[in-house]
Amino acid sequence: MLCNQMLGSYVVAFVLMLSWYVELIDASAGDADPRYRNCVGQCEESGCVGQICFPNCKFSSDGEPIDRPWYMQEPLYVQWKKWDCESDCRYYCMLDREKEKELLNQGPVKYHGKWPFKRIYGMQEPASVAFSALNLAVHFHGWVSFFVLLYYKLPLQAGKKIYYEYAGLWHIYGLLSLNSWFWSAIFHSRDVDLTEKLDYSSAVVLLGYSLLVAILRSFNIRDEATRVMVAAPLIAFVTTHIMFINLYKLDYGWNMKVCVVMAVTQLAIWAVWGGVSRHPSRWKLWLVVFVGGLAMLLEIYDFPPYEGFLDAHALWHATTVPLTYIWWSFIRDDAEFRAADLVKKAK
């Protein structure tokens, strides 16, 4: 009963989030503001917003941007903190417009689908970058501790082979998680077409693989041939979807639907399996499902960034940090549980 209630809350959260995200695809109120649009247009012509001028907005006499030769350009470690002319114009026009609205006691609005964030060292969403990096660190710690447990703390078979049959699957999961959170940090630092596609693609790969692991572990599939048969259609679907959003069209609504279906399905599998199998650490599974469902409310009831830095999406990233720690704790518990069971049977 508890399992079903927790699962239901997560499903509702995901469905509501899906409808909310689809609505966000349309133009934001900020970039539709005539004053903002005029400011950006003038900036792209003059290279300045008020008293602030941008060196990357240099034009020749015919109005074309001037690109300096490679040997006169700044080093990459300096360039990464800078933006192109259009981005700088949009950013400083946004700040000016928000200051004007604040004097009129008007609340902030979104520009090009994003809240008006303040940059730090060139990072577009510094809080989300920091929490993505924390998730990356916790995943790395969890993966390393899982490796140490398998090879240095649990008993080994002859030839130093491990007992836990799903170790290889979790090792791949660890690598894909590190990759996904790395690109999440990069994307929130610099939202451009390339980083957006890498972030979205990495997330889809991780979700698809996580669903595969949920199926294989919950149904106790250990035969390699059966694993291939189960994995093949899922891998084909995920590959096709990634090719679609990268090579044809990045359809945000469709991508969100795909992610929601894969996420809800695997959460349902884990939650039900935890109750049916009476796993000793099933409470950790249910905790991740329940708290994760509550955390999704941050994505639904969005709010502007506090002091220009901390918004609902950043807080959602923050909540996944302790959930990740608990999740890897469950994985280690599962390895101990299976190893102890197999050692007992081997005697």
Side-chain angles (χ1 to χ4, degrees):
M1 183 64 180
L2 176 62
C3 169
N4 291 334
Q5 290 176 345
M6 290 189 297
L7 180 59
S9 68
Y10 216 117
V11 172
V12 171
F14 264 117
V15 172
L16 290 174
M17 185 187 70
L18 173 61
S19 61
W20 179 78
Y21 260 111
V22 171
E23 292 174 359
L24 285 182
I25 299 174
D26 296 330
S28 304
D31 46 86
D33 185 349
R35 291 190 179 183
Y36 168 79
R37 297 170 71 92
N38 290 335
C39 175
V40 173
Q42 293 175 6
C43 174
E44 291 178 343
E45 292 179 2
S46 64
C48 298
V49 176
Q51 301 299 318
I52 304 175
C53 296
F54 315 111
N56 50 3
C57 289
K58 293 183 177 179
F59 301 90
S60 62
S61 57
D62 59 357
E64 292 297 322
I66 298 176
D67 293 324
R68 293 183 295 176
W70 63 270
Y71 54 83
M72 293 182 62
Q73 296 180 7
E74 295 173 315
L76 288 177
Y77 69 87
V78 176
Q79 290 186 41
W80 80 272
K81 295 190 296 183
K82 297 186 176 181
W83 293 75
D84 58 24
C85 180
E86 181 186 51
S87 298
D88 274 336
C89 287
R90 287 182 174 183
Y91 176 69
Y92 285 96
C93 285
M94 174 192 72
L95 292 183
D96 279 2
R97 189 70 187 100
E98 285 302 307
K99 289 178 182 177
E100 294 173 359
K101 295 181 65 179
E102 186 177 358
L103 294 175
L104 298 173
N105 293 322
Q106 297 178 1
V109 295
K110 291 189 175 183
Y111 296 81
H112 307 282
K114 290 183 175 291
W115 288 113
F117 291 96
K118 294 179 181 178
R119 298 175 185 169
I120 296 181
Y121 292 106
M123 292 184 292
Q124 191 171 4
E125 300 176 45
S128 290
V129 173
F131 291 131
S132 294
L134 275 175
N135 276 282
L136 177 67
V138 174
H139 269 291
F140 182 74
H141 171 270
W143 181 41
V144 171
S145 62
F146 176 65
F147 181 88
V148 171
L149 174 70
L150 290 177
Y151 292 96
Y152 295 98
K153 295 184 179 180
L154 294 180
L156 298 173
Q157 302 182 57
K160 294 186 176 181
K161 291 180 61 178
I162 59 176
Y163 278 96
Y164 190 48
E165 317 97 314
Y166 305 96
L169 295 174
W170 288 120
H171 285 317
I172 297 174
Y173 170 79
L175 290 172
L176 293 178
S177 297
L178 295 178
N179 174 73
S180 180
W181 284 110
F182 171 78
W183 287 116
S184 174
I186 297 298
F187 170 65
H188 288 300
S189 175
R190 186 65 63 93
D191 180 1
V192 295
D193 184 65
L194 177 62
T195 58
E196 180 182 50
K197 288 182 177 179
L198 285 169
D199 177 49
Y200 279 45
S201 299
S202 298
V204 170
V205 170
L206 179 60
L207 278 171
Y209 185 78
S210 299
L211 174 58
L212 175 62
V213 174
I215 295 172
L216 297 180
R217 178 64 187 96
S218 60
F219 289 96
N220 202 26
I221 301 175
R222 288 170 286 180
D223 179 67
E224 290 298 325
T226 308
R227 286 185 176 184
V228 172
M229 291 177 62
V230 173
L234 186 55
I235 292 175
F237 173 76
V238 170
T239 303
T240 303
H241 177 68
I242 291 175
M243 292 177 65
F244 175 81
I245 63 175
N246 281 276
L247 302 178
Y248 180 67
K249 179 185 178 182
L250 182 48
D251 188 326
Y252 297 96
W254 169 245
N255 183 68
M256 180 56 63
K257 291 176 183 177
V258 170
C259 291
V260 166
V261 169
M262 290 193 295
V264 171
T265 302
Q266 64 186 275
L267 286 170
I269 292 173
W270 282 121
V272 173
W273 174 75
V276 172
S277 66
R278 309 296 295 176
H279 195 282
S281 296
R282 59 187 177 276
W283 68 270
K284 294 182 180 180
L285 279 175
W286 292 342
L287 181 62
V288 170
V289 172
F290 180 70
V291 177
L294 292 178
M296 276 296 171
L297 296 176
L298 291 169
E299 291 285 81
I300 301 168
Y301 300 106
D302 195 17
F303 56 82
Y306 177 72
E307 296 295 333
F309 298 112
L310 193 64
D311 70 325
H313 184 72
L315 286 178
W316 177 71
H317 278 324
T319 60
T320 57
V321 175
L323 291 180
T324 298
Y325 183 85
I326 296 171
W327 181 242
W328 276 105
S329 175
F330 162 75
I331 296 171
R332 292 192 298 271
D333 290 349
D334 188 53
E336 292 182 11
F337 170 68
R338 285 295 301 163
D341 187 52
L342 292 172
V343 169
K344 187 183 300 184
K345 290 180 179 179
K347 292 181 179 181

